[in-house]
Amino acid sequence: MIGLVMDAVLMLLLVCAVGFGVRLERRLKVLRDGQLAFAGAVSELNEAAGRAEAALASLRAAGQETDLLHDRIVRARELKGELERLIARGGDAPARTSSPAPAPTPVTRTERPAPIPARTPEPAAPTDRMAALAQRIQALAGPAVAEGRGDVAAIVRAMSANPVSERIPNRTVRAQDDDLFAA
């Protein structure tokens, strides 16, 4: 009889152990599911970090391009001031016969162009202003330049005579500046 009681107690303990094992299995399953979800979140975070790095790199590149564009704008303003001074000086001078145009004075970054007195003529169309500018530069270049594309050639010569473009060390940047000002 004692053997029977001992078998019953042992069976009861085995049933309790099986119930505890089932309960433990459920908790482990929830833990494994949470671990898989965490691994998925980590991989998504890694992808987002990669996209953020790429965006930061493109932002840095855009910042460098902005700096380059700012330098070009500064140089273009210097050229504009130089051209305005040449035009103002050429409009007051008598017509030249065959003397070469004087070399432009180099403009440094610290030097600001002298303000040109504002004229208040009637507003002209942009094409009229460009034609007037081309005629003034043509007059500065002398009578040796032919009509038609000579206007463009005189403008290009006047713009390329600026020593600011010679200070650019990078060959590709200089070529881009030539393209920018030749158009």
Side-chain angles (χ1 to χ4, degrees), residues 72-83:
R72 286 183 180 175
I73 289 171
V74 168
R75 283 194 298 268
R77 285 183 182 159
E78 290 172 356
L79 278 174
K80 178 184 171 242
E82 183 71 22
L83 283 175

Side-chain angles (χ1 to χ4, degrees), residues 104 137-138 141-142 144-145 150-162:
I137 292 176
Q138 187 74 24
V145 179
D151 293 341
V152 175
I155 292 171
V156 169
R157 275 196 312 277
M159 288 181 163
S160 64
N162 188 8

Side-chain angles (χ1 to χ4, degrees), residues 9-169:
V9 169
L10 189 59
M11 282 203 303
L12 184 65
L13 286 175
L14 282 174
V15 169
C16 288
V18 168
F20 182 73
V22 169
R23 204 167 117 199
L24 184 61
E25 176 62 28
R26 286 182 192 157
R27 287 186 180 178
L28 286 174
K29 183 179 179 190
V30 169
L31 184 63
R32 277 189 234 119
D33 291 341
Q35 185 180 11
L36 289 175
F38 182 72
V42 167
S43 66
E44 288 177 10
L45 181 63
N46 191 22
E47 291 173 7
R51 287 191 305 264
E53 279 184 41
L56 186 60
S58 68
L59 186 61
R60 282 186 186 137
Q64 289 174 351
E65 289 176 9
T66 303
D67 291 342
L68 181 64
L69 183 59
H70 180 267
D71 291 342
R72 286 183 180 175
I73 289 171
V74 168
R75 283 194 298 268
R77 285 183 182 159
E78 290 172 356
L79 278 174
K80 178 184 171 242
E82 183 71 22
L83 283 175
E84 286 175 349
R85 282 196 301 275
L86 287 174
I87 289 170
R89 192 172 33 184
D92 296 339
R96 297 185 185 137
T97 56
S98 65
S99 62
T105 58
V107 178
T108 61
R109 290 197 182 268
T110 58
E111 179 185 80
R112 295 287 178 203
I116 295 180
R119 299 180 201 163
T120 56
E122 67 279 346
T127 55
D128 295 339
R129 288 189 301 200
M130 288 303 292
L133 176 64
Q135 288 174 355
R136 286 181 181 172
I137 292 176
Q138 187 74 24
L140 288 174
V145 179
E147 289 295 321
R149 290 195 47 102
D151 293 341
V152 175
I155 292 171
V156 169
R157 275 196 312 277
M159 288 181 163
S160 64
N162 188 8
V164 173
S165 63
E166 297 304 318
R167 289 186 292 199
I168 301 170

